Amino acid sequence: MRALLALLLVIPGLAHAQSGPAIRMIVPFAPGGASDVTARIVAPPLSAALGRTIVVENRPGAGGMLGAEAMARAAPDGNTIGISNTSPHGIVPLAAANPPYDSDRDFTHMAMVAETPTVLLVPAASPYRSLADFLAAAKSRAQGLSFASTGVGSLQHLQGEMLGSLTGARLVHVPYRGTGPALQDLIGGTVDSLLTPLAGTTGAITGGQARALAVSSTDAFAPLPGVPTYASLGFPALSATSWTGVSGPRGMDPAFVARVNAAVARIVTEADTVQRLEAAGLYPPARALTAAEFQAVVADFARVWAPVVKAAGVQQN
């Protein structure tokens, strides 16, 4: 008994973390991508802040819609939250004939955690050393070149379609259930390229397994020295970042939402968390957003990209 009490004193919040039922944190993608990395970094300190155990649950499929739908259908009692992401909560529903939810109306978007730019990667052994090399090959080959993404209707899918449209390059889309499996196939040479959020790929880049040809940040991106931005290469329309956040079903208790928002705002300013996020390619916003502001970000993002989805003829089955 004394040993247990001593342990609880050494690890503040441990006793509280076991009070009440565990909170399920749904990740709408496979392990290894931006959403999963976000969950693994944020869940432990958020658990301590809320005094509840948080269990991360990966629910990939349909470009993230399966996991997002599970979150939307959950009871708004605080026992189910999830990682929201640009794709399943911004773009993918726009490409679905009968989307199972409305990204704004059916969710309580509580806090933005971070943003990450898109990178265009090729395998380390690829002959393409620049975006110009890559596009030239895609134009000259009858079958074009393949590009993987995290799913049909993802921001990266749209950026690939837009790149092909702007340049006349033949780019063939290969959708995956998350960054992790797509990156594995890229490294293995199954696909020619990968358009993906930077988060979850930094290890492959710095480890020499993949080469970045372009990044979607507006300005030169310090974490990727020497990698040109799309804007600097003449394609400013491709300058867009993905965001990740913590959300839940519609109708959640405002007091709970406020606690989550305040906790996340504090967590993403702590040195250890910032270091881990940035090491993974995730960058907290310069200013913490209120829950209402984050809700507006989600709604505005969908409105901005709806015409692009329509023009590209993207359809989610």
Side-chain angles (χ1 to χ4, degrees):
M1 183 65 180
R2 289 182 179 179
L4 176 59
L5 291 175
L7 178 62
L8 297 180
L9 290 173
V10 171
I11 309 177
L14 181 60
H16 297 293
Q18 302 301 322
S19 63
I23 296 174
R24 181 174 59 145
M25 176 178 276
I26 296 175
V27 175
F29 292 103
S35 293
D36 184 65
V37 171
T38 299
R40 306 294 170 178
I41 293 174
V42 171
L46 183 59
S47 172
L50 298 178
R52 302 269 300 280
T53 299
I54 294 179
V55 178
V56 176
E57 178 184 320
N58 294 87
R59 294 283 296 272
M65 280 202 302
L66 292 184
E69 182 181 7
M71 190 197 313
R73 292 181 180 276
D77 53 11
N79 292 332
T80 301
I81 60 176
I83 297 298
S84 47
N85 176 275
T86 308
S87 293
H89 293 89
I91 296 176
V92 174
L94 301 174
N98 297 294
Y101 54 79
D102 181 285
S103 298
D104 179 27
R105 185 188 65 235
D106 294 334
F107 295 91
T108 302
H109 297 295
M110 295 181 278
M112 180 184 284
V113 175
E115 296 178 280
T116 185
T118 294
V119 286
L120 172 60
L121 301 179
V122 294
S126 171
Y128 313 124
R129 311 292 302 185
S130 68
L131 181 62
D133 292 343
F134 177 78
L135 294 175
K139 292 177 183 178
S140 65
R141 294 187 177 189
Q143 73 275 23
L145 293 177
S146 60
F147 78 95
S149 83
T150 55
V152 174
S154 65
L155 174 61
Q156 292 71 38
H157 175 201
L158 291 183
Q159 288 171 318
E161 296 289 350
M162 187 180 293
L163 181 62
S165 176
L166 291 172
T167 63
R170 299 181 186 89
L171 300 177
V172 181
H173 182 228
V174 182
Y176 281 79
R177 293 163 67 91
T179 298
L183 182 62
Q184 289 178 6
D185 275 6
L186 175 83
I187 294 171
T190 303
V191 290
D192 297 309
S193 65
L194 169 61
L195 271 163
T196 179
L198 175 62
T201 67
T202 52
I205 297 171
T206 58
Q209 296 172 297
R211 181 185 309 122
L213 301 184
V215 61
S216 71
S217 55
T218 304
D219 302 310
F221 195 60
L224 293 177
V227 178
T229 64
Y230 283 112
S232 71
L233 295 172
F235 308 111
L238 295 173
S239 299
T241 58
S242 299
W243 43 258
T244 59
V246 178
S247 301
R250 178 181 61 180
M252 300 190 78
D253 180 5
F256 179 80
V257 173
R259 288 183 65 197
V260 171
N261 182 269
V264 171
R266 175 183 54 78
I267 289 167
V268 299
T269 62
E270 295 174 346
D272 178 64
T273 302
V274 171
Q275 182 180 14
R276 293 182 65 197
L277 287 170
E278 291 187 350
L282 291 158
Y283 300 87
R287 178 184 66 83
L289 302 184
T290 65
E293 288 173 329
F294 183 37
Q295 191 87 29
V297 166
V298 177
D300 290 344
F301 195 93
R303 281 194 288 269
V304 168
W305 283 92
V308 179
V309 172
K310 183 177 181 180
V314 176
Q315 294 184 335
Q316 171 66 260
N317 296 325

